[in-house]
Amino acid sequence: MARIGVDVGGTNTDLILETTVKDSVGKGIFEHKVPSTTEDQSIAVMRGILEICDKAGLDKREIELIVHGTTVATNISIEKNGAEVGMLTTKGFRDILHIGRHKRPHNFSLHFDATWQSSPLVKRRNRIPINERILPPHGQVEVPLDEQEVRTAVATLKERGVQAVIIGFLYSFLNREHEQKAKEIVQEMMPGAFVCCSSEVVDVMREYERFSTTAMNAYVGPSTSHYLTHLSSQLRENSIDADLRIMQSNGGVATVESCCERPVNILMSGPAGGVIGGHHFAQLDGEQNIITVDIGGTSADISTLSDGQIKIMNPRDSYVAGYPVMVPMIDLITIGAGGGSIAYVDEAGGFQVGPRSAGSNPGPACYNRGGTEPAVTDANIVLGRLDPDQMLGGDLNLDPTLSAKAIKEKIADPLGLSVKDAALGILKIVNNNMALAIRSNSVARGVDPRDFVLMPFGGAGPVHGPALAEEVNAKAVFVPPAPGITAAAGLLTTNLQYEATRSLLCDLDTISDQNLSRLQGYLGQLEEEIIHKLRDDGVEPDNMLLTRLAECRYYGQGFELRATIPAGEVTREGLQAVIDTFHQAHETDYGYCFKDAVVELVTLRVIGNAESSKLDWPLSEAAGADDLAAAFMYERPTVFDDGQECMTPRYHRKALKAGQQVPGPALLMQHDSTSLVPPGWSASISKYGNLFISKDQ
C-alpha cells in the first residue's frame, strides 16, 4: 500500500509517495514535480499522481491515501472571480459588510483601498433585509422570522442568477433557529445553489467578522467544491480508489465532503503544508526554534515556530485578500517573492522585484517559453548559483543566454549597470524583501532570530538561505533533505482535524450556577459534534483526541486569547486553572497581565484530532573518509554577494552521508533544489539527511 502527498504551487505541483508494504515495490520514498496547470489544477495533480506511480513502479490501485494541499480557494479570493452571492440578513443590518469596523487599512494615508467596500463579497443590492430578531444574552425570540419575506427575497435572488446564498442574522450565535429555517426555504426554492448559515460556518459573536467569513465561504464555495468533487471523480475514473483528504488552514486535514461544505477552512491550505513539513524535519533533529521560509516560484511563505510549537494566528489578524476571515489558520505571512518574481524598472526609474511572477508559463526568460522579462531564477543562473543543465536533474534544460539577454535589456542597460551587478541587485532586493517579512513575523513579535535557525525550502529556498540568515542574524541555516517537496512531505505528517465553536459570554471569576451548567452542556454538544465527524471518517474512539479551549479576555479588550479547559466535568476549581492559563498566555503575548482583573469567557472551542502515521524518513548512513570526493560532480565559476567570483565545486547532495562536512564555497545539487554554501561558511549533514549551514568560527 502507499500514500501520496500532493502540493500545488504557483509554478510547480510537488508530489511525494511513500510505500508502506514490502510485498509491492518495497518500502521507500519517491519524489516528483510537474508544472502546475493554472487553468485547472486537477490536470497537473492527476498527471503527477500517475507519473509518480510509474516512477515508483507501483500499481496505482495500491494507493490508499492522497493528501492534497491546494490554492484553489486562495486564488479565487485573490483574483476576485468567485460566485455571485446573495444574503439574507436582519432588517436594519444589511450594510454591516460595507461599514465593517470603521478601521482604516492605513491610518495616515489619503489613498487607500478598503477592499470590503470597493470589491464587496456580496453586492448591496443582493443583501436583502428580513424581519426577525433574537435577543441576548440567551437567544430569546423577540420578533419571529417572517417566512413570507424570506420566500420573496429568495425569489428575487433566484431571478438575478445568484449562485450562492448566505444567511446571517444578528444574534444567530445565541440561537440558530431562524437561520436554519431560512436555509430550509432557500434550499427548497433554489435546490442547486450553494447555501450556508453564519452559525454553521463560524458560530461566534462579532457580526461583521461572522458575516464576512460566511460571505467568503459562499464566494469561494461553488468553484472550490466543483474542483474537489471533479478531482475525486477523476481519481475514480483512473481506477484510484484512495481516500482523498484536504489540508486545512489550521494544519489538520479533512474530508472532501467537509471541505466542500466549509471551503473557507482551506484558504491557506497550500502554505500550511510547508510549515507542517518544516516542523516535522526540524523535530527529527531536535530543533525547537525555527523560522520556515518556503520559497517557490511565485511566493515566499514565512512562519516562526518557538519551542517546537506551531502557532495558530489570533483571529484579529486573520485576513485573506483584505477580508477578515475568522477561521483557525497557522500563523504565517506570504509575500510575492520567488524564483519567478519579475525584476523591472518602474516608471520613476526605481529598481523593483516582484510581486508579479512569471509563473510556470511562460516562466523566467531562461525557460525559453516566450518570457522576455528577467526573474530571480535568471539572476541566479547568470551568477552561476544555479546550473541550467542540472535543473530538476536535467529534466528542465534552461538557456542561460536568455537570462543574460533579459537582464541586460530590461535592467542593466536602463540603469547603466553590468549584467553581473544587475543580477546581484535583483537578489539583493528580493532577499531584503524577504528579510523584512521575516522580521515582521519574528522581531516585531518579540522573537529574537539569533536564537533560531532559518529553514529555507521550496525549489528556490536553499540558494537564498545563507543571505537571508545573515540579513536577519539567524544562528544557522537548516535545509531539510528534500527541500523542493517539503510542503508535500508535510501533508503526510499531519492529523485529521475538526473544530467546533459556541459563544458563551460570562465572567469566569464569578460564574453563576446557571452559566456553569450551560458551559458544561455546550462543551458536551461540541464534543459530540466533533466525535460524530471523526466517527464518520472511520476513526475509532480510542484514536480520538479532544482538546477543549476557552477563548477569554479582560473587560474592554477587543479580542481573545486561548486557555485550555481541563478534561472531565467542569468545576469551579477547573475554571480557576483556565483563568491562570489565560493570565500566562497574556503575559507571553503582551509582556504583562492583570491577575486581579476579571476574566471574561467569550467562546468555547473543541478541537478533535485523529493521529495519522507519520512520514517515515530513512536514516542516513555514516560518512566515510572518501565520501566527499565520491560526491564531487564538477566545478564552475560562481559569483557571491560580495561580487567575488570563485571556482566552486558542485556535490551531489544525496551522496553525502551523516557527519559529512562540506567547506564553502560549494553548491549541493539535488533533483528538486540547490543549496548554496558561500565562502567562509560550511555545511554538515545530520543523521536524518538534514543540512546545517553555518558561518565558520
Side-chain angles (χ1 to χ4, degrees), residues 226-246:
H226 175 266
Y227 167 76
L228 294 177
T229 53
H230 176 59
L231 178 59
S232 297
S233 64
Q234 280 191 294
L235 290 170
R236 303 295 174 262
E237 289 170 8
N238 282 275
S239 303
I240 300 175
D241 192 26
D243 290 332
L244 178 60
R245 296 288 184 264
I246 310 300

Side-chain angles (χ1 to χ4, degrees), residues 352-369:
Q352 307 286 345
V353 180
R356 191 162 54 92
S357 173
S360 59
N361 193 11
C366 57
Y367 278 26
N368 197 15
R369 295 174 183 167

Side-chain angles (χ1 to χ4, degrees), residues 243-290:
D243 290 332
L244 178 60
R245 296 288 184 264
I246 310 300
M247 172 64 81
Q248 301 178 99
S249 306
N250 62 7
V253 296
T255 61
V256 168
E257 293 75 19
S258 173
C259 294
C260 285
E261 293 175 5
R262 307 284 180 273
V264 73
N265 289 333
I266 63 170
L267 281 168
M268 290 290 113
S269 170
V275 179
I276 299 292
H279 176 262
H280 175 71
F281 286 112
Q283 291 294 300
L284 293 179
D285 275 316
E287 285 292 339
Q288 298 296 302
N289 293 338
I290 61 172

Side-chain angles (χ1 to χ4, degrees), residues 363-384:
C366 57
Y367 278 26
N368 197 15
R369 295 174 183 167
T372 59
E373 297 180 284
V376 171
T377 295
D378 293 306
N380 280 312
I381 291 284
V382 165
L383 297 174

Side-chain angles (χ1 to χ4, degrees), residues 344-358:
Y344 62 98
V345 178
D346 64 23
E347 293 177 356
F351 191 175
Q352 307 286 345
V353 180
R356 191 162 54 92
S357 173

Side-chain angles (χ1 to χ4, degrees), residues 620-652:
S620 179
E621 298 177 25
D626 299 324
D627 283 347
L628 185 60
F632 176 79
M633 299 170 64
Y634 53 85
E635 62 178 14
R636 288 178 183 170
T638 303
V639 179
F640 293 90
D641 288 346
D642 59 0
Q644 177 186 5
E645 184 174 14
C646 306
M647 287 301 293
T648 302
R650 272 66 166 158
Y651 298 97
H652 196 299

Side-chain angles (χ1 to χ4, degrees), residues 516 519-521 523-524 527 546 548 565-571 574-575:
L516 183 61
L519 190 158
Q520 181 71 58
L523 282 176
E527 288 176 339
L546 300 185
R548 309 189 301 182
I565 302 174
E569 183 180 354
V570 180
T571 63
L575 290 182

